[in-house]
Amino acid sequence: MVTTRHPSPSVATTPSDPIAVEPLPAPALVPMGPPWWGAVMGTGILSTLTQLHIGTSTPGAVLARCLLVAGWLLMVSFATLFLLRVRRSAEVWRDSVSGVGSSAWGMVAMGILAVGSATGTVLPAWSPALASAAWTADRTLWVIGTLIGFLSTFGFAVGLLRHRPKEPRPAWGLAIVPPMVSATSGAPFVAQISSPLLSLGLLAFLVACFVCSLTLGIVIFTAAYHHHLRIEPIPVPLSISAWIPLGVVGQSTAAAQAIAAQSGRFLTPESVPAAQAVADGYGYLMLSIAVPLVLLAISVTLHGVRNGMPFSPGWWALTFPIGTLSLGALNLSKGSHLAGYSLASTLAWIVLLGTWTLCVIASLRPLVLQQAARTRRLHA
């Protein structure tokens, strides 16, 4: 999904290890770093949606809790392993933040935000006594994720202006979605602030996040779609990146509803229905746009599969964007009171369960094959 001087996370490469000359070589593993954080994003949002959809049942609650624990384990282990790589070589850090490759840090931000939201949603239902701790963890992760997200967004913009790449990619959107995720996940905190002035300030900041992400998203994705539909198709190894623009579509739908719900604290009673109507209208438009974009993403992905698309961390793009569509449709169903969007949300959540499972299997497969190759080599 990102191009750096290290092996590209979107293209499988052949390692220098002697195992690579075996008759059936094991797939190469992309080094641990920001490109892998799509797994944290997908696990976090799946935990949240599982709790919202079937958390009242025992199997659903258990699944949501297991996913929450998995999200935390992934987040902590990924951060630790990457820091160990940076400690061994400063070049690792420089490569991760240079040029348009810095867009991968958007996944780090969104992964942190997703796990924070899952904590605030799942943990209080798991144990009401832990509700205060859950909200504290959620707020802390929101601040960290939002800070990294803005650094990613503006760092990417600077890199884009400096290097001026001629081939826009949907993966560039990774850098500009985090502020939209911050807008959605930060909305519940508005009601928790006792000071009206600070509460209004936070709401204004969330609106700014929304506008910033949407504006940059329109520019970047319009350029990417124009390039790939009129000039050159998405390269086969990057096929799954066609799902990334749907992250803005679904997340902005959810954010619009979350912001509208909190704006009632500062509007006159007569203005509240108008604010909700604007959020609903925006959601209708975005989810209508999502339909052809989903069909296009499916088509591009199937083309990639038919042409031998290799595994990469980019496969995790099959999770978070689908999750945002589910979350956006669920929030819209509550705001508009239209049951059809609730059904659409449930269907998207079921698809997310499937794609998350696929990505887990695909991610573990290289580890299993490499271990098997080493075992054969030792017994040869």
Side-chain angles (χ1 to χ4, degrees):
M1 297 171 68
V2 182
T3 302
T4 67
R5 280 178 283 181
H6 285 290
S8 170
S10 295
V11 184
T13 58
T14 302
S16 58
D17 190 273
I19 297 171
V21 299
E22 293 287 331
L24 293 175
L29 286 174
V30 173
M32 182 53 61
W36 276 106
W37 279 71
V40 183
M41 296 162 56
T43 304
I45 198 168
L46 180 57
S47 175
T48 298
L49 289 168
T50 300
Q51 180 65 43
L52 294 176
H53 280 289
I54 59 172
T56 55
S57 67
T58 299
V62 170
L63 178 58
R65 295 166 190 175
C66 290
L67 289 166
L68 175 61
V69 172
W72 272 95
L73 290 175
L74 290 174
M75 181 174 66
V76 173
S77 61
F78 284 9
T80 302
L81 291 172
F82 178 66
L83 289 176
L84 289 175
R85 289 188 62 219
V86 171
R87 183 179 180 182
R88 289 193 295 267
S89 172
E91 191 73 11
V92 172
W93 172 260
R94 286 193 292 269
D95 284 346
S96 74
V97 298
S98 62
V100 295
S102 63
S103 64
W105 279 93
M107 290 192 287
V108 177
M110 290 185 283
I112 294 172
L113 292 168
V115 172
S117 292
T119 303
T121 303
V122 177
L123 197 55
W126 188 348
S127 174
L130 297 176
S132 178
W135 281 105
T136 299
D138 190 2
R139 285 192 295 268
T140 302
L141 292 180
W142 183 82
V143 171
I144 296 172
T146 298
L147 177 60
I148 295 175
F150 267 92
L151 290 175
S152 169
T153 298
F154 291 105
F156 168 79
V158 170
L160 200 63
L161 291 174
R162 289 180 60 186
H163 298 279
R164 300 183 181 276
K166 298 180 180 180
E167 299 179 354
R169 303 291 191 196
W172 291 3
L174 294 171
I176 56 90
V177 181
M180 192 67 78
V181 181
S182 293
T184 307
S185 56
F189 303 140
V190 174
Q192 298 176 13
I193 299 176
S194 57
S195 168
L197 183 61
L198 292 178
S199 182
L200 178 60
L202 176 57
L203 184 63
F205 175 73
L206 300 182
V207 173
C209 288
F210 181 99
V211 173
C212 173
S213 183
L214 182 63
T215 302
L216 291 174
I218 291 174
V219 173
I220 289 175
F221 292 132
T222 298
Y225 279 125
H226 175 269
H227 179 80
H228 293 307
L229 293 176
R230 301 289 300 274
I231 301 174
E232 177 190 28
I234 296 177
V236 168
L238 303 177
S239 297
I240 291 182
S241 66
W243 291 90
I244 293 174
L246 288 160
V248 171
V249 173
Q251 196 69 55
S252 65
T253 300
Q257 291 293 322
I259 291 173
Q262 297 300 331
S263 66
R265 296 165 54 85
F266 308 100
L267 298 176
T268 62
E270 296 78 13
S271 302
V272 172
Q276 185 61 52
V278 171
D280 291 346
Y282 178 85
Y284 301 150
L285 174 62
M286 285 294 103
L287 294 187
S288 296
I289 292 175
V291 175
L293 295 185
V294 167
L295 295 177
L296 176 61
I298 292 174
S299 174
V300 173
T301 302
L302 291 177
H303 173 75
V305 171
R306 288 194 298 266
N307 288 274
M309 175 181 60
F311 171 75
S312 76
W315 280 36
W316 284 94
L318 285 169
T319 58
F320 194 76
I322 296 173
T324 66
L325 291 177
S326 177
L327 183 61
L330 182 63
N331 284 8
L332 182 57
S333 72
K334 295 176 180 178
S336 64
H337 305 290
L338 296 177
Y341 288 106
S342 178
L343 176 60
S345 175
T346 302
L347 292 175
W349 167 70
I350 292 173
V351 172
L352 174 59
L353 280 170
T355 57
W356 182 86
T357 303
L358 170 66
C359 289
V360 168
I361 295 172
S363 297
L364 293 177
R365 182 172 176 270
L367 287 172
V368 174
L369 292 179
Q370 284 194 356
Q371 185 58 44
R374 288 191 175 94
T375 301
R376 290 195 304 270
R377 183 179 176 85
L378 290 173
H379 291 84

